[in-house]
Amino acid sequence: NRNVEDYVELKYAYSMVQLFSRDMLGTLTSVLSKLCQAYEQPSVHSGVLAGPQGVLLLSVIHPSLRLMRRLLSHVIRCRDSDFHDLTAVPVLLQTYALVSAVPASCLFHPKVNECRSDIVATLLAYSQPAVQANDDISNVNGTSVKPSATPEDALSRSLWTQMIQEVLKFIHSCSGPAAAVTGLEVLNELMPLP
C-alpha cells in the first residue's frame, strides 16, 4: 500500500514539474493580472461582483489560485533557497484585493474566503526556505553572491523577507484606502505570532 502512495505522490510531483516547465505559473499570473486590471479599483465594482459576474470571476480565480499554490509550494520546496522569483506576489496581492471586494452578503462568499486563504497560504510558501548564515546565494543573473557574515544578513536576503518587502511596496503604492486595508490584512496574516 505504501508503494502505491509513493507512486501517486511521484505522479503528482512529476505533473507539477511538467506544468512549471511549460510556464504554467507565468500563464496563471498573466490571467490573474488581466482580471485585476479589468477591475482596477475593486471596491468600486463590489455591486457588480455581487451578481453573476462575480460568480464567473471566482470560477476562474479559485482554480487558478489553487494551482498557483501547488506549483509555487512544490517549486519552492524543491529549489529551497535557490528560488528567488517574486513575480507572482504583486498579482496575488491584487487578486486578494479583488476577491475582498465581493460583498459578505453574497451567497458565494465562502468561495471568497477560500480564495483569500489560498492567497495567504501561497504567500506563506515563500517562508519555506531557510537561508543559513554561511550559504551562497545565487543572484538572478546566476552570479554567486558572497556568503553572509551574520544571521541578520542571511535573514535580510531570505525569500520570506523579500516577499514581505513586496507586500510593503504594495501597501505603500496603493491607490486608495480600501487597497491599503487589504494589504494590511495580508501582512497581518503573514506575520508570525509573538
Side-chain angles (χ1 to χ4, degrees), residues 68-114:
M68 278 183 83
R69 177 181 173 190
R70 297 273 161 75
L71 279 170
L72 279 170
S73 296
H74 185 73
V75 171
I76 292 171
R77 187 173 49 247
C78 291
R79 296 204 50 208
D80 200 33
S81 61
D82 291 334
F83 186 82
H84 297 288
D85 184 12
L86 296 169
T87 55
V89 174
V91 175
L92 288 169
L93 295 169
Q94 292 169 355
T95 306
Y96 190 93
L98 178 59
V99 298
S100 295
V102 176
S105 60
C106 293
L107 294 174
F108 52 89
H109 200 266
K111 183 79 70 180
V112 169
N113 290 334
E114 288 179 33

Side-chain angles (χ1 to χ4, degrees), residues 114-178:
E114 288 179 33
C115 289
R116 290 167 57 151
S117 296
D118 282 340
I119 292 169
V120 170
T122 304
L123 292 171
L124 284 173
Y126 286 94
S127 67
Q128 288 178 12
V131 177
Q132 297 172 356
N134 58 1
D135 282 351
D136 279 339
I137 299 175
S138 295
N139 191 326
V140 175
N141 301 337
T143 60
S144 181
V145 176
K146 185 177 177 182
S148 302
T150 64
E152 291 81 18
D153 290 340
L155 183 62
S156 69
R157 290 192 230 173
S158 74
L159 187 59
W160 184 81
T161 304
Q162 293 173 13
M163 183 267 303
I164 292 295
Q165 287 173 347
E166 287 293 321
V167 172
L168 292 173
K169 282 181 198 173
F170 175 80
I171 293 169
H172 181 67
S173 67
C174 287
S175 60

